[in-house]
Amino acid sequence: MQKDRNQTRKKTKQKTVAGRPRSRKTKSQIQHYSLRLFLIIIVVSVGYLFYLDIKIISKFEGRIWQLPARVYARPLELYEGMTLSPAQLQIELDMLNYSYDDNAVLEQGQYQRSGNHFDIVTRGFEYWDGEEVSRSMRVEFEDNKIIDLEDLITNESLALVRFDPAYLAGIFPSHGEDRELVRIEEVPEELIAMLILIEDRRFYDHPGVDVRSIARAFMANIKAGRTVQGGSTITQQLVKNLFLTPTQSLWRKANEAVMAILLDLQYSKQKILETYLNEIYLGQDQDRAIHGFGLASLYYFGKPLHQLALDEMACLVGLVKGASYYNPVRHPERAKERRNVVLSALNNSGLITDEQFINLSNKKIKIARHVKRERYPAYLDLVKRQLKSTYDSDDLKSEGLRIFTAFNPYVQYQAEKAITTVTPQLSSDASLQAAVIVASPNNGEVLAVVGDRQPDYAGFNRALDIQRHIGSLIKPAIYLSALKQSNKYTLASLVEDTRLRVIGEDKKIWEPENYDHQYHGNVTMYEALLKSYNIPAARLGLDVGLGEISKTIQQLGNHSQLPPYPSMTLGAVDMSPFDVASIYQTFAASGFHSPLRTVIAVLDKEGRPLKRYPIDVAREVAPDVVALINHTMLGIAEEGTAKRLATDLTIKVAGKTGTSDDLKDSWFAGFSGDTVAVVWTGFDDNRSTDLTGASGALRIWSKLMSSISSTSFEVLMPDNITMQWIDRESGLLSAKDCENAIELPFILGSEPTVDAECTEGSSSGWFHKLFGD
């Protein structure tokens, strides 16, 4: 028994002794693993800090921001003798965001008006050919002409004044941010002082994170029972905006603090502050995010930072707390209240006097007038397409490009107005659509584009993409093809207007009809084109040859393949308004063709031009033959299918109506001395509009041209053109006083030689030729 007890004690002692080494081993292992874990944490932490540091450096040493390409309109230029109405100048100033101000001293971007008298201070701007300085000027009008243009300071006459161009849009990177970069030395000291006072009083003292501010904010929030104060420094705010997501979490806040300290270690306070001034979000302009004080100053007040008054600076600084909530455009009262909080802080800190505070806090916030951005989707669509086709893709990937276009704000305004005013008058069906292209005949510059009945709708661009039968718009090209053979055809040549039946390549019979469903016998080519008879055009086209017509249309500016069918002679050809405008630009320029273009110049972010493309002008059609057609198109606008223009307009214009089968498409293409324009109207589903070219598109065209052009079209008659009086019915020689006589141009040697019978007792043809008028 005792032996058993001794054995038991021995086993227990052995067990106890055996257990002690195991306990010491376990404790050692724990210490070992803890040390390893600690070292791993240190390594990971150092690695993570290194990663964050690399992330910060790569951002700051590289490109911090992607800058959008900015698209500008053509600059308005004024000179004495220029045809311009006060109303047009007013519209141009509004579209430039110039503001009316009744102060005695005007600043850049401001004007005063009294009737036909304007005082204006322009903004300076850097163009592709140099810098345009700000000018203070006086403009006087009389009878819609500038009669006086002088410097307000020196009272000297000004030969030419060029305004800054209207900003149309930004071709943005994917994030849609926009900013006007400023250097720290360009920022007013008062604005910097305000910003630091309101956002981070110890900015120059703390290492990126301000423990005092955090503690103060913590206590204030506990006391209030909600978040009423933040403790983030300017450096932390910058880190959050540049590197982190807006998601609220302890991990994000920890990252923010660590990165702020690293940023402060790596870069100077001035560099951090400059970056912050350019990065901070200060509002939204539709899809464009307004970042930085430079752009905010231009957007809200229409002037650069260095021109801001103290109250305007305070308004911008107030936006930092909440750009949407304190937006002065949408919430002026909130913005004023917040501005006054900033001004009060300035007053309490002794940065402004009591008197200044009272005066500034009572001032109304005067926001720059804003023309709605992205209002020109059809024009910008054309700009983007032509950029891709004209410039190298690598060049266009550069950031901060400045793209100067031929866009004319006033012409665009009137084109949109013509469509929105007239289209509802044409049909009660609100789905009736319309499109307009307006260009300069001399150089092919596209001045305006409207692609939808609702001009600012950024959808299907009918001006460029709709493909519809052009109807009688093709007839001038057919007659041009014939008149090239001056030994065979003249405007006095007779063409049969009788029944015509043609077997096409598909073995089907094609039988064209006139719009009035009547035959008119033998008619002169002039009368046939003037009244847009179908059958004479078809006969003439078939006689000349479809291939020859296609060649002529290519010479005029359209290089698409045309269907070699007889119906082509009546406009069974699909084209867009842009295609048609390209053709009629050549007519308007007397046979010289210039490809239609929007882009004038492209500068990189340093102001250096990318490739410059000279105006491409080429003589495509002989001037004498074009003169015959243009003379006839003048007649169309005076006594032909477009004769309403003779009463609607005070200037002479030329053009052609176009109507497709079953009245599906209504067209008018025409030109004055300085403008060529094409209008189309129709339904997207291709149903009948019940409108001819004269009753539809012509009315829009007339409304447009009455507003934008004051220069008559005059036919340039080469030396080898002679004018002769002709009998309208027979095409034979007549006299001015004879019944039915009309004066027509002929290429020398092609004029008729046989006299017509002259009635009503007036001079006979031979007597007229012998003794003159």
Side-chain angles (χ1 to χ4, degrees):
M1 187 75 174
Q2 183 67 33
K3 184 179 181 179
D4 291 340
R5 287 175 182 165
N6 291 335
Q7 287 178 345
T8 301
R9 288 194 195 101
K10 186 177 182 180
K11 289 179 180 179
T12 303
K13 184 176 181 180
Q14 289 176 347
K15 184 176 180 181
T16 303
V17 172
R20 284 176 183 171
R22 284 203 298 269
S23 175
R24 292 194 191 98
K25 186 177 180 181
T26 301
K27 186 176 180 179
S28 175
Q29 286 177 333
I30 292 173
Q31 290 176 342
H32 175 70
Y33 290 137
S34 297
L35 179 60
R36 290 182 62 184
L37 179 61
F38 177 74
L39 291 174
I40 291 172
I41 292 173
I42 293 295
V43 171
V44 171
S45 298
V46 171
Y48 188 63
L49 287 175
F50 183 74
Y51 161 75
L52 292 179
D53 198 45
I54 292 296
K55 187 176 181 181
I56 291 171
I57 292 173
S58 63
K59 184 79 170 181
F60 268 68
E61 299 300 327
R63 292 177 299 179
I64 299 178
W65 302 286
Q66 287 181 288
L67 300 177
R70 292 184 176 174
V71 184
Y72 295 94
R74 67 90 179 96
L76 174 66
E77 296 181 338
L78 303 185
Y79 53 88
E80 285 191 20
M82 178 181 182
T83 299
L84 186 78
S85 70
Q88 179 175 346
L89 179 57
Q90 180 71 64
I91 291 172
E92 294 269 9
L93 291 174
D94 289 344
M95 300 186 83
L96 282 171
N97 286 337
Y98 275 48
S99 60
Y100 176 85
D101 198 295
D102 53 9
N103 290 329
V105 179
L106 295 176
E107 297 179 352
Q108 289 189 31
Q110 294 182 340
Y111 71 94
Q112 295 174 351
R113 178 184 180 182
S114 177
N116 291 341
H117 169 104
F118 287 79
D119 286 348
I120 309 169
V121 180
T122 66
R123 303 186 187 106
F125 196 84
E126 185 177 353
Y127 285 98
W128 60 89
D129 55 358
E131 184 178 359
E132 193 75 23
V133 299
S134 171
R135 292 185 181 274
S136 300
M137 64 176 176
R138 176 163 292 155
V139 190
E140 290 277 358
F141 290 88
E142 187 176 293
D143 297 328
N144 292 334
K145 280 193 175 181
I146 296 177
I147 61 170
D148 188 30
L149 186 65
E150 66 178 34
D151 191 294
L152 274 174
I153 300 173
T154 65
N155 294 324
E156 295 178 353
S157 294
L158 297 171
L160 179 74
V161 174
R162 180 163 60 170
F163 284 72
D164 53 306
Y167 172 62
L168 300 184
I171 302 177
F172 294 108
S174 58
H175 51 64
E177 295 179 2
D178 195 7
R179 51 180 50 82
E180 183 78 17
L181 295 182
V182 293
R183 296 183 178 90
I184 191 70
E185 56 267 22
E186 299 170 343
V187 182
E189 292 181 2
E190 297 89 341
L191 190 147
I192 293 176
M194 287 185 200
L195 183 64
I196 291 176
L197 177 66
I198 300 300
E199 293 298 319
D200 191 355
R201 296 193 180 198
R202 299 185 63 250
F203 173 72
Y204 290 107
D205 300 322
H206 62 66
V209 176
D210 190 352
V211 178
R212 294 186 196 174
S213 294
I214 295 173
R216 184 172 58 250
F218 180 73
M219 295 304 297
N221 294 338
I222 289 180
K223 185 176 180 180
R226 57 189 176 88
T227 302
V228 294
Q229 192 176 118
S232 294
T233 63
I234 283 177
T235 315
Q236 286 176 274
Q237 292 179 45
L238 179 60
V239 165
K240 179 179 66 176
N241 290 340
L242 284 180
F243 303 104
L244 304 175
T245 66
T247 305
Q248 293 288 347
S249 67
L250 289 175
W251 176 251
R252 191 194 68 80
K253 290 297 292 183
N255 269 335
E256 178 186 297
V258 172
M259 294 180 78
I261 294 171
L262 290 173
L263 186 63
D264 196 84
L265 284 171
Q266 290 283 357
Y267 298 97
S268 69
K269 293 289 186 179
Q270 292 297 85
K271 176 67 174 178
I272 293 171
L273 186 58
E274 181 181 74
T275 308
Y276 179 87
L277 288 165
N278 286 299
E279 169 59 25
I280 188 67
Y281 172 73
L282 293 174
Q284 195 75 25
D285 177 23
Q286 295 175 249
D287 61 344
R288 177 176 68 149
I290 307 295
H291 282 260
F293 283 89
L295 183 59
S297 179
L298 295 173
Y299 176 68
Y300 291 113
F301 300 111
K303 50 189 174 183
L305 274 177
H306 68 270
Q307 292 183 8
L308 291 182
L310 284 176
D311 57 302
E312 293 168 333
M313 295 181 195
C315 183
L316 294 186
V317 170
L319 285 174
V320 175
K321 183 176 177 65
S324 298
Y325 189 80
Y326 295 110
N327 187 306
V329 177
R330 300 187 184 91
H331 310 293
E333 290 304 317
R334 291 180 191 168
K336 183 178 179 180
E337 180 181 348
R338 178 60 185 168
R339 179 202 66 183
N340 290 350
V341 168
V342 176
L343 292 172
S344 178
L346 293 175
N347 179 232
N348 293 335
S349 299
L351 296 178
I352 60 174
T353 65
D354 292 343
E355 183 180 0
Q356 284 180 299
F357 170 68
I358 293 172
N359 291 335
L360 293 174
S361 61
N362 286 329
K363 288 180 67 174
K364 181 180 179 182
I365 297 179
K366 296 176 68 173
I367 298 301
R369 182 183 181 276
H370 286 96
V371 175
K372 186 180 178 184
R373 289 182 56 260
E374 305 291 359
R375 282 197 60 233
Y376 318 111
Y379 193 94
L380 292 170
D381 182 20
L382 181 57
V383 170
K384 292 174 184 177
R385 297 187 196 192
Q386 293 192 337
L387 281 172
K388 290 179 181 178
S389 66
T390 306
Y391 291 87
D392 294 336
S393 58
D394 289 341
D395 290 336
L396 295 178
K397 291 177 182 177
S398 301
E399 295 178 7
L401 295 178
R402 287 190 290 163
I403 300 162
F404 295 92
T405 72
F407 181 86
N408 186 308
Y410 182 73
V411 174
Q412 180 74 26
Y413 170 81
Q414 295 296 351
E416 293 178 0
K417 185 177 179 181
I419 282 187
T420 56
T421 301
V422 179
T423 305
Q425 300 172 6
L426 302 179
S427 173
S428 59
D429 192 331
S431 62
L432 180 69
Q433 277 293 347
V436 173
I437 291 278
V438 186
S440 169
N442 297 324
N443 52 27
E445 292 179 351
V446 180
L447 309 179
V449 181
V450 183
D452 191 278
R453 176 177 177 151
Q454 298 178 11
D456 56 355
Y457 175 68
F460 181 56
N461 191 346
R462 293 165 188 81
L464 306 183
D465 295 328
I466 199 164
Q467 295 288 317
R468 302 295 278 267
H469 284 187
I470 63 172
S472 296
L473 294 185
I474 201 173
K475 289 175 182 175
I478 294 173
Y479 284 77
L480 183 67
S481 300
L483 290 169
K484 289 178 184 177
Q485 305 175 41
S486 59
N487 61 335
K488 184 177 180 180
Y489 296 106
T490 71
L491 290 177
S493 297
L494 296 179
V495 185
E496 286 186 43
D497 185 8
T498 57
R499 186 179 184 186
L500 175 65
R501 304 179 84 229
V502 178
I503 299 177
E505 292 185 359
D506 57 0
K507 306 303 180 182
K508 292 183 180 179
I509 295 177
W510 179 65
E511 185 172 355
E513 290 185 329
N514 290 321
Y515 179 73
D516 61 4
H517 304 294
Q518 296 181 12
Y519 301 114
H520 306 92
N522 289 337
V523 294
T524 63
M525 285 175 54
Y526 178 81
E527 285 293 311
L529 182 54
L530 189 79
K531 297 178 179 176
S532 200
Y533 293 149
N534 288 337
I535 297 174
R539 287 187 183 278
L540 194 62
L542 292 172
D543 189 38
V544 170
L546 302 182
E548 188 63 30
I549 295 171
S550 295
K551 180 181 176 181
T552 296
I553 290 176
Q554 289 182 351
Q555 290 175 331
L556 289 170
N558 183 274
H559 300 286
S560 57
Q561 294 295 321
L562 303 183
Y565 303 123
S567 59
M568 181 186 80
T569 59
L570 299 186
V573 174
D574 288 335
M575 290 188 190
S576 69
F578 183 85
D579 297 331
V580 174
S582 184
I583 291 172
Y584 276 78
Q585 177 275 324
T586 311
F587 282 120
S590 301
F592 287 95
H593 178 68
S594 299
L596 299 186
R597 64 179 188 143
T598 58
V599 180
I600 296 174
V602 179
L603 306 185
D604 65 18
K605 63 181 179 181
E606 303 299 331
R608 296 169 303 204
L610 298 184
K611 294 177 184 177
R612 290 293 305 276
Y613 292 86
I615 298 174
D616 184 8
V617 180
R619 163 68 73 185
E620 294 293 349
V621 186
D624 49 7
V625 184
V626 173
L628 305 183
I629 295 297
N630 285 348
H631 179 86
T632 306
M633 286 199 282
L634 268 176
I636 290 173
E638 291 177 352
E639 57 173 339
T641 56
K643 61 184 178 182
R644 70 173 294 158
L645 293 176
T647 56
D648 286 355
L649 304 178
T650 58
I651 58 174
K652 289 187 176 183
V653 295
K656 184 69 187 75
T657 53
T659 312
S660 64
D661 287 346
D662 302 321
L663 306 180
K664 293 178 180 178
D665 302 279
S666 172
W667 292 88
F668 190 80
F671 41 91
S672 65
D674 58 5
T675 308
V676 56
V678 174
V679 176
W680 168 86
T681 184
F683 290 110
D684 287 342
D685 59 6
N686 217 22
R687 56 193 161 98
S688 176
T689 64
D690 293 326
L691 297 169
T692 64
S695 64
L698 176 62
R699 292 176 59 185
I700 299 175
W701 194 92
S702 176
K703 171 74 173 174
L704 168 63
M705 294 297 286
S706 66
S707 303
I708 66 173
S709 180
S710 59
T711 306
S712 291
F713 177 74
E714 295 182 5
V715 181
L716 296 179
M717 293 294 183
D719 293 339
N720 67 331
I721 293 290
T722 180
M723 300 298 295
Q724 298 291 333
W725 286 94
I726 303 296
D727 179 72
R728 297 185 81 129
E729 293 184 354
S730 66
L732 302 179
L733 284 174
S734 185
K736 180 178 180 180
D737 296 330
C738 291
E739 183 183 20
N740 238 11
I742 185 172
E743 192 175 28
L744 296 179
F746 294 87
I747 298 174
L748 278 174
S750 70
E751 64 270 27
T753 57
V754 179
D755 290 339
E757 182 178 350
C758 186
T759 60
E760 302 225 345
S762 61
S763 303
S764 65
W766 66 268
F767 185 87
H768 168 70
K769 286 194 294 180
L770 186 62
F771 296 101
D773 290 343

